[in-house]
Amino acid sequence: MTKILLTGATGYIGSHTWLALVDAGFEVVGVDDFSNSAPAVLPRIARLSGREPVFERLDVGDTAALSALVARERIDAAVHFAASKAVGESMEQPLAYFRNNLGGLISTAQALQANGVHCFVFSSSATVYGTPEALPIPESAPLSTANPYGLTKLHGEQLLRELERCDPRWRIAYLRYFNPVGAHESGDIGEDPRGTPNNLMPYVAQVAIGRRERLQVFGGDYPTPDGTGVRDYVHVMDLAEGHVAALRRLLDGADSMTVNLGTGRGHSVLEVVRAYERASGRRVPYDIAPRRPGDVAACYADVGLAARLLGWRARRDLAAMCEDSWRWQSKNPQGYA
Ligand code: UD1
């Protein structure tokens, strides 16, 4: 069986991708330092996947420990999620972001290279498109960043492209995520943000469950149909399956690829609120607040390349994203705690 190293394995996208990989017949070796996730995810992965998870608590910055694990487990390929992802935090601690995200990436690549592993899936983000010039956004759109977090994604891509140029044994999938939301359909794993959620859907979920009073809608005067920001929300299980598709292509010998993972459809903040109210049967009171600095009016993916290259298309709609998020939220009102 093909063995995949999953870094950031107990985080939000990592844990869902773990299940999708097992489902697709891969063996998974997970690592995480629990800097933004909880060990409580592991027994749930065990139950949902029907296997005892192979896991090591490890900081990917520890190249020697990671390399020893890659050797011992005879890893064939890696999916690298381990990174910090909060834009605001990255502006307060840029160096910590450079070290964790870029240092962690370099260390992971070194540990793989030391063991002759050159098949790699990198978590990139639609944030690399900056303020889009045209919609939907194709992979060929100009790239720019507006904060340290975004810079770590853009420079992470550039660093890996240079690595490939120098050593063509590397085959890399650069997956640019739009807005991952929702949860596994069991409602037993999901997103468990620490402190106040930065992102829309976890915030809406906490208002619906009564942990927070009202949503602040950041901006009601954007040039969008209802004045609120438009994003391409993609179900985290669709996203997870996108990783499986990319990995399969690479393992089959495909060349490196840069691919958007989104639905190709934009939804406004108010559409999300209404869909969540329908899914949960709860009210989500909100106020229109000033725009959040750095936000763009609208952002959604051109998904043509993902379909052509990966044969992958997001299948779950906004209603399913909200229903699955709500199942997770209502079964686990305090997250994994
Ligand atoms: C954000 C990050 C992006 C990152 C992505 C995934 C910013 C500026 N961008 O994307 O770099 O890759 O998360 O982690 O932080 N909204 C509200 N009220 C809220 C929260 C959000 O109205 O309390 C609105 C936002 O203005 C936006 C939409 O909801 O229009 C989605 O916001 P969010 O979930 O934070 O995602 P992005 O800003 O697209």
Side-chain angles (χ1 to χ4, degrees), residues 87 125 127 149 179 199-200 216-218 231 233 292 295:
V87 172
S125 166
T127 194
Y149 160 75
N179 291 59
N199 297 117
L200 177 65
Q216 302 298 307
V217 175
F218 299 142
R231 295 290 183 277
Y233 298 95
R292 181 171 64 181
D295 271 357

Side-chain angles (χ1 to χ4, degrees), residues 136-212:
I137 309 173
E139 288 81 355
S140 56
L143 306 179
S144 70
T145 64
N147 56 65
Y149 160 75
L151 182 137
T152 65
K153 292 299 172 186
L154 184 55
H155 285 209
E157 284 197 10
Q158 288 170 339
L159 202 144
L160 290 172
R161 285 186 216 285
E162 187 66 2
L163 175 64
E164 276 189 73
R165 207 168 61 82
C166 300
D167 183 350
R169 285 176 301 175
W170 282 93
R171 274 170 311 104
I172 302 175
Y174 305 83
L175 303 184
R176 294 177 176 159
Y177 314 153
F178 281 68
N179 291 59
V181 297
H184 187 260
E185 23 285 275
S186 64
D188 290 333
I189 62 169
E191 187 172 13
D192 184 17
R194 293 196 175 159
T196 308
N198 297 307
N199 297 117
L200 177 65
M201 194 165 295
Y203 201 104
V204 168
Q206 293 192 5
V207 173
I209 199 83
R211 271 173 76 177
R212 299 189 188 270

Side-chain angles (χ1 to χ4, degrees), residues 34-101:
F34 298 130
S35 56
N36 192 27
S37 63
V41 186
L42 290 167
R44 303 197 182 195
I45 289 174
R47 184 152 42 81
L48 292 169
S49 69
R51 283 155 184 264
E52 206 39 54
V54 178
F55 177 82
E56 191 163 311
R57 179 176 192 160
L58 184 147
D59 178 340
V60 295
D62 185 346
T63 317
L66 189 58
S67 178
L69 179 72
V70 171
R72 195 167 65 242
E73 293 289 348
R74 300 177 176 278
I75 294 296
D76 296 297
V79 182
H80 179 60
F81 292 114
S84 309
K85 62 163 186 182
V87 172
E89 186 183 64
S90 82
M91 292 165 76
E92 286 155 23
Q93 308 166 33
L95 289 169
Y97 266 67
F98 300 156
R99 179 173 195 148
N100 194 37
N101 291 10

